């Protein structure tokens, strides 16, 4: 109950309506955060929760990408002796007749499944939108904290719980879930189908249910905060594009995650209560499951992709928002076409709910229905192209600062174009007949939502690191990180397009027995080397990140990048409540950069001059 | 300009109330997904038809009465009629519990006719949807329980904005699960 009172008081601190009892003066930070546990562990300060999301996300990113290196080793060097990994992976490394240690086949599938689940949900959803929505929403709209700091804290801890459950499942005797990150039935439902479908699948589902709770608690908070707690003068069209992106992201999450939650409940019922929502006419090892009939596995796919497709926009929209902001600030130019950017975010948000079946062209949906989904899928190219055009137009003629943040933003645009173009191929149901389930698909989505979203995240971390820790990250290491990542990412995924065009199927453990595909062994080895290289460059980032928290160059200027937005009006290392005095008032749009001869930039808090027209309108 | 801001302030919904509505949207999405899946699966054939248990009529009556009682109870609290507020609050809670009991009896009726959860997707869906709904009702009962604890305190008789807000939040949720059940009940009736 005490917690509720705290929020009550904080809320009243914002609203300044009193109901008779004294509440604390939030000008002096948060008096509740007296102990170490309160300020760092169960913190309700959105800035600390953002750091918790970021560092937890980084932890998972390391695990998730290390897993990809393991299965890349199998694909690139199937003849290599991996017995040196036995101390770490134990029974998952099998010693064959030649005395050579190889990755167990079941474990290969578990690795692929876990890699997808971890990167999509834990890193690029929680780690990206959790970090930056938390950090930037209150700071950029001028609020002391989220609408409900308690719910915000719970959002993190549900994410943490989801992580703990999934982490434990890695150590199960039968192994973690191995039916793919989409968890299609019947593989995800029948324990007799594979070892990974035993306890591992149950724990995977449990973990994901916790994760949905986390996303909903966070999303409700983000939407409420953006729509209700903006400071005076912060009209919707004066919000930075980051906030627009986070708002639409949260709305997408709120509408799509409950749908997959119901799908997961149905899978859990099928697993444990003998229902047959998704099971019909199944034979396992020659034995018919006569009591499990009447369900439809296609139904699950509809439920899954109704979340799954908005989910890719949940991943990419925050990155787009961050990139818009970073590019504008470091080009010293207003964002090109602010309103077009806002409307394209909204258009992408709406369209993302109308394209889910393009993941199911080959699943047996009616081809005539596919046509409609082709149409909507290709229409998404329009707002996406608007955004790409505007980013390039923003850089055009700008006074560019080539630092790590802006380089990663430009890298994002590059990746988004490359990956977006291949999306036009795959969006056509006819072309998809040839290309579905090949490495072309793998290359497409890794470039457009994997690498691109990571680049957006890196841009955000380099740009807002001073806002988080009051210090800067090392620029030299940052640039090494950028060029290394950029080059190795293209070296990994470029050749995969070629493999896919040649028809090499994804998800195969080995191509040994396929004459057609084993001719690409050298190319697979090349990809693996590039992937290992790319992984090593991330070590540079992690070292830089943690070193800079303690030893980085100290921030002395409150607004080091010469940005116009409100987060730079709060003091360095601001306490809970963000601004020691009054919350700043907003008088103009967030992109008054290089607009006047005499002033290089004008902050949002500066009142409009006589006769001046606000830029956003 | 100042006038504009002032009038905006009045119209502004309380953040917590807004957050509750956003949460309700997510629950709506979940049940929309389930009922759409129901329609899609039913159209696929091999669908075992059965009558809804009569108990569901009683549970519907109970939850409607419960919502009505709580609505009047809120009005009484605002009107500072504390006795009436408490009496109706207890009645509303009691009727809410009765709803859960009636749902349980309804399931027992179905089981007596050998309509088990794994008999056919039609029964699986019924148990899943009504079960998830009852879980949401249990959550509501929990929240009402906290209201009851507070209502018994003397201090609570003083009507303040924040107490009114808290009541309103709990009761809004309760009316929501009530309306949700009416939707589900009509949905099942129409689908039969």
């Amino acid at each position: 109950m005490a917690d509720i009172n705290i929020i009550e008081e904080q809320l009243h601190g914002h609203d300044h309506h009193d109901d008779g009892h004294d509440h604390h003066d939030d000008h002096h930070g948060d008096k509740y955060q007296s102990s170490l546990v309160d300020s760092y562990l169960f913190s309700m300060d959105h800035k600390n929760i953002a750091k918790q999301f970021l560092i937890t996300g980084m932890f998972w990113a390391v695990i998730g990408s290390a897993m990809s290196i393991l299965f890349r080793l199998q694909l690139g060097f199937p003849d290599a002796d991996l017995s040196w990994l036995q101390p770490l992976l134990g029974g998952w490394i099998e010693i064959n007749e030649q005395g050579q240690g190889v990755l167990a086949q079941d474990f290969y599938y578990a690795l692929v499944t876990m890699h997808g689940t971890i990167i999509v949900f834990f890193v690029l959803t929680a780690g990206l939108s959790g970090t930056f929505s938390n950090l930037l929403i209150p700071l950029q709209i001028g609020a002391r904290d989220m609408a409900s700091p308690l719910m915000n804290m719970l959002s993190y801890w549900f994410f943490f719980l989801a992580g703990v459950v999934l982490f434990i499942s890695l150590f199960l005797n039968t192994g973690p879930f191995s039916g793919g990150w989409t968890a299609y039935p019947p593989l995800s439902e029948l324990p007799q189908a594979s070892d990974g479908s035993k306890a591992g699948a149950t724990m995977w589902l449990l973990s994901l249910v916790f994760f949905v709770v986390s996303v909903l608690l966070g999303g409700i908070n983000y939407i409420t905060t953006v729509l209700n707690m903006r400071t005076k003068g912060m009209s919707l069209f004066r919000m930075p594009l980051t906030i627009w992106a986070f708002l639409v992201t949260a709305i997408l999450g709120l509408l799509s995650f409950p749908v997959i939650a119901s799908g997961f409940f149905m899978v859990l019922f099928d697993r444990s209560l003998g229902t047959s929502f998704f099971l019909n006419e199944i034979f396992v090892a020659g034995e018919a499951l006569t009591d499990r009939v009447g369900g439809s596995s296609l139904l699950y796919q509809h439920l899954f992709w109704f979340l799954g497709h908005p989910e890719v926009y949940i991943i990419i929209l925050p990155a787009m928002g961050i990139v818009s902001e970073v590019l504008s600030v470091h080009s010293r130019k207003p964002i090109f076409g602010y309103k077009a950017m806002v409307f394209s975010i909204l258009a992408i948000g709406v369209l993302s709910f109308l394209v889910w079946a393009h993941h199911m062209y080959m699943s047996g949906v009616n081809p005539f229905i596919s046509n409609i989904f082709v149409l909507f899928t290709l229409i998404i190219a329009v707002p996406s192209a608007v955004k790409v055009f505007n980013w390039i137009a923003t850089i055009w003629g700008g006074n560019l600062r080539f630092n790590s943040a802006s380089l990663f933003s430009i890298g994002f645009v590059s990746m988004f174009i490359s990956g977006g173009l291949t999306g036009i191929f795959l969006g056509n149901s006819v072309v998809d007949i040839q290309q579905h389930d090949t490495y072309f698909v793998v290359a497409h989505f890794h470039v457009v939502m994997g690498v691109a979203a990571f680049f957006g995240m890196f841009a955000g971390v380099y740009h807002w690191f001073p806002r988080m820790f009051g210090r800067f990250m090392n620029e030299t290491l940052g640039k090494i990180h950028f060029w290394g990542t950029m080059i190795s990412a293209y070296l990994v995924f470029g050749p995969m397009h070629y493999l896919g065009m040649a028809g090499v199927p994804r998800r195969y453990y080995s191509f040994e027995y396929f004459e057609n595909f084993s001719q690409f062994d050298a190319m697979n080895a090349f990809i693996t080397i590039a992937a290992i290289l790319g992984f090593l460059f991330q070590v540079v980032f992690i070292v830089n990140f943690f070193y800079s928290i303690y030893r980085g160059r100290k921030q002395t200027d409150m607004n080091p990048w010469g940005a116009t937005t409100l987060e730079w009006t709060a003091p360095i290392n601001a306490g809970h409540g963000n601004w020691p005095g009054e919350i700043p008032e907003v008088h103009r749009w967030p992109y008054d950069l290089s607009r006047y001869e005499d002033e290089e930039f004008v902050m949002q808090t500066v009142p409009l001059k006589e006769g001046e027209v606000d830029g956003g309108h | 300009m100042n006038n504009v801001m002032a009038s905006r302030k009045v119209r502004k919904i309380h953040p917590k109330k807004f957050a509750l509505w956003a949460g309700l949207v997510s629950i709506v999405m979940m049940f929309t997904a389930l009922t759409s899946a129901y329609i899609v699966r039913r159209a696929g054939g091999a669908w075992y038809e059965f009558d809804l248990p009569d108990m569901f009529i009683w549970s519907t009556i109970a939850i409607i009465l419960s919502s009505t009682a709580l609505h009047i109870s809120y009005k009484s609290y605002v009107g500072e009629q504390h006795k009436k507020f408490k009496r109706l609050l207890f009645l509303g809670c009691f009727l809410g519990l009765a709803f859960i009991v009636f749902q349980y009896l309804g399931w027992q009726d179905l089981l007596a006719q050998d309509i088990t959860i794994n008999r056919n997707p039609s029964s699986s869906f019924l148990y899943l949807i009504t079960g998830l709904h009852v879980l949401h009702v249990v959550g509501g009962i929990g929240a009402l329980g906290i209201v009851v604890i507070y209502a018994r305190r003397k201090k609570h008789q003083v009507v303040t904005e924040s107490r009114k807000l808290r009541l309103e939040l709990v009761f809004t949720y309760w009316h929501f699960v009530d309306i949700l059940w009416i939707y589900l009940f009509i949905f099942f009736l129409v689908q039969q």
Side-chain angles (χ1 to χ4, degrees):
Chain A
M1 248 20 262
D3 291 341
I4 289 174
N5 288 333
I6 292 170
I7 310 167
E8 199 90 298
E9 293 199 16
Q10 281 172 348
L11 268 178
H12 287 223
H14 301 299
D15 288 353
H16 295 292
H17 57 74
D18 205 326
D19 53 56
H21 56 84
D22 284 327
H23 52 72
H24 80 285
D25 184 4
D26 44 22
H27 294 182
H28 301 292
D30 186 356
K31 72 172 180 184
Y32 302 99
Q33 298 198 352
S34 43
S35 75
L36 197 71
V37 172
D38 290 343
S39 18
Y40 290 102
L41 209 53
F42 295 106
S43 172
M44 292 205 215
D45 184 349
H46 69 98
K47 296 187 292 299
N48 286 341
I49 295 173
K51 292 176 201 169
Q52 291 175 323
F53 267 111
L54 179 60
I55 291 171
T56 316
M58 283 168 68
F59 169 79
W60 280 109
V62 170
I63 294 191
S65 41
M67 286 174 163
S68 73
I69 298 302
L70 287 178
F71 63 71
R72 268 319 314 177
L73 278 178
Q74 163 61 29
L75 288 169
F77 302 98
D79 300 326
D81 183 14
L82 297 181
S83 49
W84 56 278
L85 279 168
Q86 224 174 8
L88 179 68
L89 299 176
W92 298 118
I93 299 289
E94 284 169 355
I95 310 290
N96 62 13
E97 304 95 67
Q98 289 96 43
Q100 173 206 4
V102 292
L103 208 62
Q105 299 189 9
D106 278 349
F107 191 52
Y108 176 84
Y109 289 107
L111 284 174
V112 177
T113 304
M114 288 298 126
H115 169 75
T117 307
I118 289 169
I119 302 285
V120 167
F121 291 116
F122 289 1
V123 183
L124 295 179
T125 304
L128 178 57
S129 133
T131 303
F132 290 102
S133 298
N134 263 306
L135 179 72
L136 294 178
I137 288 177
L139 277 166
Q140 286 195 331
I141 66 168
R144 296 213 182 271
D145 203 323
M146 289 286 178
S148 169
L150 173 76
M151 264 167 67
N152 209 23
M153 178 187 82
L154 286 177
S155 163
Y156 172 74
W157 287 103
F158 267 102
F159 166 48
F160 189 83
L161 190 62
V164 168
V165 173
L166 198 79
F167 193 74
I168 292 172
S169 85
L170 299 178
F171 299 95
L172 286 172
N173 196 21
T174 47
F177 179 49
S178 56
W181 79 280
T182 51
Y184 279 2
L187 204 47
S188 59
E189 291 194 341
L190 298 171
Q192 60 268 51
S194 85
D195 270 354
S197 303
K198 296 190 168 82
T202 309
M203 291 184 79
W204 187 92
L205 288 160
L206 196 64
S207 164
L208 267 283
V209 169
F210 287 137
F211 187 78
V212 171
V213 175
S214 158
V215 171
L216 293 178
L217 286 171
I220 289 170
N221 234 329
Y222 306 151
I223 299 170
T224 308
T225 310
V226 171
L227 292 182
N228 288 278
M229 319 245 319
R230 297 190 308 277
T231 184
K232 201 173 166 189
M234 181 64 87
S235 60
L236 286 175
F237 280 108
R238 279 179 181 166
M239 296 196 309
L241 286 171
T242 37
I243 302 300
W244 272 107
F246 299 148
L247 173 66
V248 174
T249 302
I251 294 173
L252 295 188
L254 190 73
L255 296 178
S256 64
F257 270 98
V259 174
I260 194 56
S262 48
F264 288 155
F265 289 138
M266 287 153 93
V267 174
L268 282 166
F269 267 48
D270 277 4
R271 285 182 66 82
S272 49
L273 296 174
T275 57
S276 306
F277 286 112
F278 303 129
L279 294 174
N280 196 22
E281 297 177 349
I282 311 258
F283 286 81
V284 178
E287 191 192 339
L289 302 179
T290 46
D291 57 333
R292 310 298 291 274
V293 288
S296 153
S297 59
L298 203 57
L299 187 59
Y300 174 86
Q301 298 185 19
H302 280 294
L303 291 174
F304 183 86
W305 288 112
F306 191 82
L307 153 91
H309 200 80
E311 168 68 14
V312 310
Y313 292 99
I314 289 169
I315 286 172
I316 205 70
L317 281 174
M320 287 177 162
I322 289 168
V323 163
S324 306
E325 184 73 14
V326 171
L327 276 183
S328 164
V329 169
H330 292 297
S331 306
R332 313 308 298 150
K333 267 185 69 189
I335 191 85
F336 187 87
Y338 171 77
K339 280 208 170 164
M341 287 302 233
V342 172
F343 288 118
S344 53
I345 290 175
L346 294 171
I348 289 174
V350 172
L351 287 170
S352 72
F353 282 104
L354 303 172
V355 298
W356 78 88
H358 71 209
H359 298 272
M360 300 161 60
Y361 288 150
M362 298 306 291
S363 296
V365 294
N366 187 323
F368 294 107
I369 291 179
S370 291
N371 284 349
I372 297 167
F373 285 97
V374 171
L375 192 70
F376 283 122
T377 304
L378 297 187
I379 290 177
I380 285 205
V382 177
S384 309
V386 168
K387 295 192 81 71
V388 168
F389 180 86
N390 288 356
W391 286 318
I392 295 173
T394 303
I395 314 173
W396 183 262
N399 189 6
L400 265 164
R401 298 178 189 141
F402 282 111
N403 51 24
S404 316
S406 69
L407 283 172
F408 269 111
S409 302
I410 297 168
F412 169 91
V413 178
S414 159
M415 286 292 166
F416 190 70
I417 294 173
S418 314
L421 286 175
T422 53
I424 297 176
F425 290 55
L426 293 170
N428 283 287
S429 58
V430 180
V431 183
D432 193 57
I433 295 172
Q434 166 70 19
Q435 290 180 329
H436 86 281
D437 263 358
T438 67
Y439 272 90
F440 194 84
V441 179
V442 177
H444 160 69
F445 71 74
H446 274 90
V447 172
V448 79
M449 63 174 262
V451 181
F454 263 105
F455 275 28
M457 194 166 164
F458 288 137
V461 171
Y462 283 107
H463 186 81
W464 281 288
F465 193 84
R467 184 59 273 169
M468 282 190 261
F469 299 103
R471 289 172 188 269
F472 291 90
M473 286 181 74
N474 183 301
E475 268 303 313
T476 316
L477 290 177
K479 279 175 190 156
I480 293 172
H481 174 220
F482 168 73
W483 287 109
T485 313
M486 180 82 178
I487 292 167
S488 43
Y490 270 120
L491 290 182
V492 170
F493 298 110
M496 277 192 196
H497 291 93
Y498 182 77
L499 292 181
M501 292 280 206
V504 180
R506 62 193 283 211
R507 300 199 180 102
Y508 276 32
Y509 168 76
S510 158
F511 299 112
E512 203 180 335
Y513 302 109
F514 301 90
E515 196 66 21
N516 267 345
F517 309 138
S518 56
Q519 58 174 320
F520 298 114
D521 280 355
M523 194 175 273
N524 268 321
F526 176 82
I527 294 174
T528 300
I529 293 169
I532 293 170
L533 211 66
F535 182 77
L536 292 178
F537 279 110
Q538 306 318 304
V539 178
V540 176
F541 171 74
I542 289 167
V543 169
N544 190 358
F545 182 89
F546 286 105
Y547 179 82
S548 302
I549 290 180
Y550 299 103
R551 293 283 160 81
R553 181 163 62 86
K554 268 199 173 154
Q555 180 190 4
T556 47
D557 185 355
M558 227 157 82
N559 184 4
W561 308 124
T564 61
T565 38
L566 290 184
E567 78 270 30
W568 304 108
T569 61
I572 301 165
N573 292 324
H576 198 174
N578 298 339
W579 289 273
E582 289 284 301
I583 298 178
E585 207 175 299
V586 166
H587 297 281
R588 56 176 74 233
W589 78 322
Y591 296 104
D592 270 340
L593 293 144
S594 308
R595 199 170 163 210
Y596 302 102
E597 291 286 313
D598 50 337
E599 280 166 301
E600 211 236 332
F601 65 95
V602 187
M603 299 210 61
Q604 280 193 282
T605 46
V606 177
L608 290 170
K609 293 181 192 129
E610 282 254 333
E612 187 188 353
V613 184
D614 193 10
H617 298 269
Chain B
M1 187 67 197
N2 276 334
N3 282 337
V4 176
M5 292 311 290
S7 67
R8 231 183 111 214
K9 199 100 198 156
V10 176
R11 272 193 291 117
K12 237 180 172 179
I13 180 173
H14 192 283
K16 274 190 180 170
K17 228 190 264 181
F18 185 91
L20 176 71
W21 281 103
L24 298 185
V25 168
S26 72
I27 301 176
V28 167
M29 281 309 290
M30 191 167 92
F31 281 93
T32 310
L34 288 167
T35 47
S36 341
Y38 182 100
I39 295 170
V40 171
R41 174 58 198 85
R42 188 171 183 271
W47 186 260
Y48 178 76
E49 301 280 358
F50 56 88
D51 286 334
L52 287 181
D54 292 341
M55 279 299 169
F56 282 6
I57 297 170
W58 290 107
S59 63
T60 311
I61 295 171
I63 200 160
I64 292 175
L65 286 178
S66 154
S67 250
T68 317
L70 291 178
H71 181 70
I72 305 170
S73 154
Y74 175 72
K75 291 275 175 225
S76 326
Y77 183 73
V78 177
E80 308 207 6
Q81 299 162 281
H82 203 71
K83 270 226 168 81
K84 193 173 166 196
F85 157 70
K86 274 209 291 196
R87 233 178 278 147
L88 284 164
L89 176 67
F90 294 147
L91 179 67
C93 276
F94 175 76
L95 286 166
L97 287 169
F99 172 81
I100 296 174
V101 172
F102 283 131
Q103 293 297 82
Y104 176 75
L105 293 175
W107 293 333
Q108 293 297 322
D109 273 3
L110 289 175
L111 289 176
Q113 301 167 53
D114 205 23
I115 300 168
T116 53
I117 188 163
N118 55 359
R119 169 144 188 180
N120 185 270
S122 65
S123 60
S124 309
F125 268 112
L126 186 90
Y127 283 107
L128 173 64
I129 293 173
T130 55
L132 276 177
H133 176 262
V134 162
L135 273 184
H136 285 84
V137 173
V138 169
I141 293 274
L144 282 177
I146 294 172
V147 174
V148 168
I149 294 169
Y150 272 90
R152 291 166 65 91
R153 295 191 185 157
K154 245 208 151 58
K155 209 172 75 177
H156 196 265
Q157 292 187 11
V158 187
V159 178
T160 64
E161 280 304 315
S162 73
R163 281 177 192 148
K164 252 163 63 180
L165 174 73
R166 251 182 283 177
L167 272 186
E168 214 183 320
L169 291 176
V170 174
F171 289 176
T172 306
Y173 178 77
W174 189 262
H175 297 324
F176 169 77
V177 290
D178 175 10
I179 292 166
L180 181 62
W181 171 251
I182 294 171
Y183 158 70
L184 292 173
F185 189 53
I186 293 173
F187 174 82
F188 285 129
L189 286 178
V190 171
Q191 287 290 322
Q192 273 188 345

